[in-house]
Short mmCIF file of all heavy atoms in Angstrom, two decimals:
data_model
loop_
_atom_site.label_atom_id
_atom_site.label_comp_id
_atom_site.label_asym_id
_atom_site.label_seq_id
_atom_site.Cartn_x
_atom_site.Cartn_y
_atom_site.Cartn_z
N LEU O 1 -9.15 11.27 -36.18
CA LEU O 1 -9.46 9.71 -36.01
C LEU O 1 -9.15 9.38 -34.56
O LEU O 1 -8.01 9.48 -33.94
CB LEU O 1 -8.53 8.97 -37.00
CG LEU O 1 -8.65 9.35 -38.41
CD1 LEU O 1 -7.60 8.73 -39.20
CD2 LEU O 1 -10.03 9.12 -39.04
N ALA O 2 -10.14 8.91 -33.97
CA ALA O 2 -10.10 8.32 -32.61
C ALA O 2 -9.25 7.16 -32.55
O ALA O 2 -9.27 6.41 -33.46
CB ALA O 2 -11.42 8.00 -31.99
N GLY O 3 -8.34 7.02 -31.50
CA GLY O 3 -7.42 5.97 -31.39
C GLY O 3 -6.30 6.15 -30.43
O GLY O 3 -6.18 7.25 -29.86
N ASP O 4 -5.37 5.19 -30.56
CA ASP O 4 -4.25 5.35 -29.67
C ASP O 4 -3.17 6.28 -30.13
O ASP O 4 -2.36 6.91 -29.30
CB ASP O 4 -3.57 4.02 -29.53
CG ASP O 4 -4.36 2.90 -28.92
OD1 ASP O 4 -5.23 3.32 -28.23
OD2 ASP O 4 -4.15 1.69 -29.23
N ARG O 5 -3.07 6.56 -31.39
CA ARG O 5 -2.17 7.61 -31.84
C ARG O 5 -2.85 8.70 -32.59
O ARG O 5 -3.83 8.52 -33.29
CB ARG O 5 -1.02 6.91 -32.73
CG ARG O 5 -1.56 6.34 -34.01
CD ARG O 5 -0.33 5.81 -34.81
NE ARG O 5 -0.91 5.23 -36.07
CZ ARG O 5 -0.80 6.02 -37.25
NH1 ARG O 5 -0.17 7.22 -37.19
NH2 ARG O 5 -1.22 5.44 -38.30
N PRO O 6 -2.34 9.88 -32.36
CA PRO O 6 -2.90 11.07 -33.12
C PRO O 6 -2.98 10.92 -34.67
O PRO O 6 -1.89 10.52 -35.17
CB PRO O 6 -2.22 12.23 -32.72
CG PRO O 6 -1.47 11.87 -31.48
CD PRO O 6 -1.23 10.35 -31.71
N ALA O 7 -4.03 11.04 -35.34
CA ALA O 7 -4.06 10.95 -36.79
C ALA O 7 -5.29 11.81 -37.24
O ALA O 7 -6.34 11.79 -36.55
CB ALA O 7 -4.18 9.57 -37.25
N SER O 8 -5.23 12.27 -38.52
CA SER O 8 -6.39 12.86 -39.09
C SER O 8 -6.42 12.72 -40.59
O SER O 8 -5.24 12.49 -41.12
CB SER O 8 -6.44 14.43 -38.74
OG SER O 8 -5.42 15.06 -39.22
N ILE O 9 -7.55 12.83 -41.11
CA ILE O 9 -7.69 12.80 -42.58
C ILE O 9 -8.15 14.29 -42.90
O ILE O 9 -9.04 14.84 -42.41
CB ILE O 9 -8.93 12.02 -42.97
CG1 ILE O 9 -8.56 10.51 -42.57
CG2 ILE O 9 -9.04 12.01 -44.56
CD1 ILE O 9 -9.77 9.56 -42.79
N GLU O 10 -7.52 14.82 -43.94
CA GLU O 10 -7.69 16.12 -44.37
C GLU O 10 -8.51 16.00 -45.81
O GLU O 10 -8.01 15.26 -46.76
CB GLU O 10 -6.44 16.89 -44.73
CG GLU O 10 -6.66 18.35 -45.21
CD GLU O 10 -5.55 19.07 -45.82
OE1 GLU O 10 -4.38 18.50 -45.68
OE2 GLU O 10 -5.60 20.17 -46.17
N VAL O 11 -9.64 16.74 -45.79
CA VAL O 11 -10.44 16.73 -46.89
C VAL O 11 -10.61 18.24 -47.42
O VAL O 11 -11.00 19.06 -46.59
CB VAL O 11 -11.81 16.25 -46.64
CG1 VAL O 11 -12.64 16.27 -47.88
CG2 VAL O 11 -11.63 14.78 -46.09
N ARG O 12 -10.15 18.53 -48.67
CA ARG O 12 -10.37 19.83 -49.29
C ARG O 12 -11.59 19.62 -50.28
O ARG O 12 -11.65 18.63 -51.07
CB ARG O 12 -9.25 20.24 -50.07
CG ARG O 12 -8.06 20.38 -49.13
CD ARG O 12 -6.68 20.80 -49.87
NE ARG O 12 -5.50 20.47 -49.12
CZ ARG O 12 -4.46 20.19 -49.52
NH1 ARG O 12 -4.19 20.26 -50.88
NH2 ARG O 12 -3.41 19.96 -48.72
N GLY O 13 -12.56 20.53 -50.12
CA GLY O 13 -13.76 20.33 -50.88
C GLY O 13 -14.50 21.61 -51.17
O GLY O 13 -14.01 22.73 -50.81
N THR O 14 -15.70 21.51 -51.70
CA THR O 14 -16.50 22.50 -52.16
C THR O 14 -17.82 22.34 -51.55
O THR O 14 -18.38 21.13 -51.58
CB THR O 14 -16.62 22.64 -53.68
OG1 THR O 14 -15.30 22.98 -54.18
CG2 THR O 14 -17.46 23.82 -54.04
N VAL O 15 -18.47 23.32 -51.06
CA VAL O 15 -19.94 23.14 -50.54
C VAL O 15 -20.82 23.17 -51.75
O VAL O 15 -20.74 24.13 -52.60
CB VAL O 15 -20.35 24.23 -49.59
CG1 VAL O 15 -21.79 24.19 -49.21
CG2 VAL O 15 -19.47 24.08 -48.27
N VAL O 16 -21.61 22.12 -52.00
CA VAL O 16 -22.46 22.06 -53.04
C VAL O 16 -23.93 22.51 -52.84
O VAL O 16 -24.78 22.66 -53.72
CB VAL O 16 -22.38 20.79 -53.81
CG1 VAL O 16 -21.08 20.48 -54.35
CG2 VAL O 16 -22.69 19.56 -52.93
N ASP O 17 -24.31 22.52 -51.56
CA ASP O 17 -25.64 22.89 -51.14
C ASP O 17 -25.63 23.29 -49.69
O ASP O 17 -24.96 22.72 -48.86
CB ASP O 17 -26.58 21.69 -51.36
CG ASP O 17 -27.92 22.07 -51.53
OD1 ASP O 17 -28.37 23.35 -51.51
OD2 ASP O 17 -28.82 21.22 -51.82
N LEU O 18 -26.45 24.20 -49.45
CA LEU O 18 -26.87 24.57 -48.00
C LEU O 18 -28.34 24.44 -47.78
O LEU O 18 -29.15 25.13 -48.25
CB LEU O 18 -26.47 26.14 -47.92
CG LEU O 18 -24.99 26.50 -47.99
CD1 LEU O 18 -24.75 28.12 -48.11
CD2 LEU O 18 -24.13 25.99 -46.88
N ILE O 19 -28.73 23.47 -47.05
CA ILE O 19 -29.94 22.91 -46.97
C ILE O 19 -30.61 23.41 -45.65
O ILE O 19 -30.11 23.03 -44.51
CB ILE O 19 -30.07 21.37 -47.06
CG1 ILE O 19 -29.34 21.00 -48.34
CG2 ILE O 19 -31.54 20.90 -46.96
CD1 ILE O 19 -28.85 19.47 -48.24
N THR O 20 -31.66 24.20 -45.70
CA THR O 20 -32.37 24.80 -44.60
C THR O 20 -33.68 24.01 -44.39
O THR O 20 -34.02 23.04 -44.89
CB THR O 20 -32.44 26.26 -44.80
OG1 THR O 20 -33.17 26.51 -45.88
CG2 THR O 20 -31.09 26.97 -44.65
N GLY O 21 -34.62 24.52 -43.66
CA GLY O 21 -35.86 24.11 -43.36
C GLY O 21 -35.96 22.92 -42.59
O GLY O 21 -35.01 22.66 -41.71
N ASP O 22 -36.88 22.04 -42.77
CA ASP O 22 -37.15 20.85 -42.07
C ASP O 22 -35.91 19.88 -42.14
O ASP O 22 -35.46 19.22 -41.18
CB ASP O 22 -38.30 20.09 -42.49
CG ASP O 22 -39.57 20.86 -42.12
OD1 ASP O 22 -39.60 21.77 -41.28
OD2 ASP O 22 -40.55 20.50 -42.75
N GLU O 23 -35.21 19.70 -43.29
CA GLU O 23 -34.12 18.83 -43.41
C GLU O 23 -32.93 19.47 -42.69
O GLU O 23 -32.18 18.58 -42.02
CB GLU O 23 -33.74 18.78 -44.97
CG GLU O 23 -32.74 17.67 -45.29
CD GLU O 23 -32.40 17.40 -46.67
OE1 GLU O 23 -33.33 17.84 -47.56
OE2 GLU O 23 -31.50 16.76 -46.95
N GLY O 24 -32.73 20.71 -42.65
CA GLY O 24 -31.57 21.20 -41.84
C GLY O 24 -31.73 20.91 -40.38
O GLY O 24 -30.83 20.54 -39.60
N ARG O 25 -32.98 21.06 -39.88
CA ARG O 25 -33.28 20.88 -38.55
C ARG O 25 -33.23 19.48 -38.11
O ARG O 25 -32.76 19.09 -37.05
CB ARG O 25 -34.88 21.44 -38.24
CG ARG O 25 -35.18 21.28 -36.78
CD ARG O 25 -34.25 22.09 -35.92
NE ARG O 25 -34.84 22.11 -34.51
CZ ARG O 25 -34.43 21.35 -33.57
NH1 ARG O 25 -33.53 20.42 -33.83
NH2 ARG O 25 -34.88 21.27 -32.32
N ALA O 26 -33.75 18.61 -38.96
CA ALA O 26 -33.73 17.18 -38.75
C ALA O 26 -32.30 16.52 -38.66
O ALA O 26 -31.89 15.75 -37.90
CB ALA O 26 -34.60 16.34 -39.81
N HIS O 27 -31.41 17.24 -39.55
CA HIS O 27 -30.08 16.81 -39.60
C HIS O 27 -29.26 16.91 -38.30
O HIS O 27 -28.57 16.14 -37.87
CB HIS O 27 -29.27 17.40 -40.72
CG HIS O 27 -27.95 17.05 -40.92
ND1 HIS O 27 -26.77 17.92 -40.65
CD2 HIS O 27 -27.45 15.85 -41.27
CE1 HIS O 27 -25.74 17.17 -41.04
NE2 HIS O 27 -26.09 16.02 -41.32
N ILE O 28 -29.57 18.02 -37.58
CA ILE O 28 -28.82 18.35 -36.30
C ILE O 28 -29.31 17.34 -35.19
O ILE O 28 -28.57 16.92 -34.34
CB ILE O 28 -28.98 19.83 -35.87
CG1 ILE O 28 -27.93 20.04 -34.72
CG2 ILE O 28 -30.43 20.12 -35.41
CD1 ILE O 28 -26.50 19.88 -35.06
N GLU O 29 -30.47 16.94 -35.40
CA GLU O 29 -31.14 15.91 -34.58
C GLU O 29 -30.35 14.48 -34.73
O GLU O 29 -29.97 13.88 -33.77
CB GLU O 29 -32.64 15.78 -34.48
CG GLU O 29 -33.35 16.94 -34.04
CD GLU O 29 -33.23 17.30 -32.50
OE1 GLU O 29 -32.67 16.41 -31.66
OE2 GLU O 29 -33.27 18.56 -32.08
N GLU O 30 -30.22 14.20 -36.05
CA GLU O 30 -29.44 12.98 -36.40
C GLU O 30 -28.03 12.95 -35.80
O GLU O 30 -27.70 12.10 -35.22
CB GLU O 30 -29.50 12.81 -37.83
CG GLU O 30 -30.91 12.54 -38.40
CD GLU O 30 -30.76 12.70 -40.01
OE1 GLU O 30 -29.78 12.57 -40.58
OE2 GLU O 30 -31.91 12.78 -40.64
N LEU O 31 -27.47 14.10 -35.87
CA LEU O 31 -26.04 14.18 -35.56
C LEU O 31 -26.00 14.15 -34.03
O LEU O 31 -25.15 13.49 -33.39
CB LEU O 31 -25.42 15.50 -35.93
CG LEU O 31 -25.05 15.66 -37.49
CD1 LEU O 31 -24.76 16.99 -37.90
CD2 LEU O 31 -23.99 14.58 -37.88
N SER O 32 -26.92 14.83 -33.39
CA SER O 32 -27.04 14.79 -31.89
C SER O 32 -27.11 13.47 -31.29
O SER O 32 -26.51 12.98 -30.38
CB SER O 32 -28.00 15.65 -31.34
OG SER O 32 -28.06 15.81 -29.86
N HIS O 33 -28.01 12.63 -31.95
CA HIS O 33 -28.24 11.22 -31.51
C HIS O 33 -26.99 10.34 -31.75
O HIS O 33 -26.72 9.57 -30.99
CB HIS O 33 -29.64 10.64 -32.24
CG HIS O 33 -30.70 11.04 -31.47
ND1 HIS O 33 -31.32 10.46 -30.43
CD2 HIS O 33 -31.43 12.28 -31.65
CE1 HIS O 33 -32.29 10.93 -29.99
NE2 HIS O 33 -32.53 12.09 -30.61
N LYS O 34 -26.33 10.61 -32.84
CA LYS O 34 -25.14 9.89 -33.20
C LYS O 34 -24.02 10.16 -32.22
O LYS O 34 -23.27 9.23 -31.64
CB LYS O 34 -24.63 10.29 -34.65
CG LYS O 34 -23.23 9.77 -34.89
CD LYS O 34 -22.72 10.32 -36.32
CE LYS O 34 -21.34 10.00 -36.59
NZ LYS O 34 -20.91 10.57 -37.96
N TYR O 35 -23.85 11.50 -31.84
CA TYR O 35 -22.77 11.80 -30.83
C TYR O 35 -22.97 11.81 -29.45
O TYR O 35 -22.19 11.40 -28.70
CB TYR O 35 -22.13 13.18 -31.33
CG TYR O 35 -21.25 13.26 -32.48
CD1 TYR O 35 -21.86 13.28 -33.90
CD2 TYR O 35 -19.93 13.02 -32.46
CE1 TYR O 35 -20.94 13.31 -34.89
CE2 TYR O 35 -19.10 12.99 -33.49
CZ TYR O 35 -19.66 13.15 -34.69
OH TYR O 35 -18.93 13.13 -35.83
N ILE O 36 -24.33 12.18 -29.01
CA ILE O 36 -24.46 12.12 -27.66
C ILE O 36 -25.76 11.35 -27.12
O ILE O 36 -26.04 11.25 -26.02
CB ILE O 36 -24.62 13.61 -27.07
CG1 ILE O 36 -25.77 14.37 -27.59
CG2 ILE O 36 -23.37 14.35 -27.24
CD1 ILE O 36 -26.04 15.72 -27.11
#
């Protein structure tokens, strides 16, 4: 968590799908635009 004091949220989970193809490729572009 960005901020003045160090903090994080821990999530334990299960992968329910591994999505490849056009959707997998489009997703990295969405993330890239979000972050950089």
Side-chain angles (χ1 to χ4, degrees):
L1 301 173
D4 294 336
R5 64 180 183 97
S8 64
I9 299 172
E10 179 187 3
V11 181
R12 297 174 200 158
T14 302
V15 172
V16 295
D17 204 358
L18 297 167
I19 305 160
T20 57
D22 291 341
E23 189 175 346
R25 181 67 174 91
H27 184 244
I28 194 59
E29 292 299 336
E30 292 168 17
L31 289 171
S32 186
H33 281 268
K34 171 184 170 179
Y35 281 88
I36 62 173

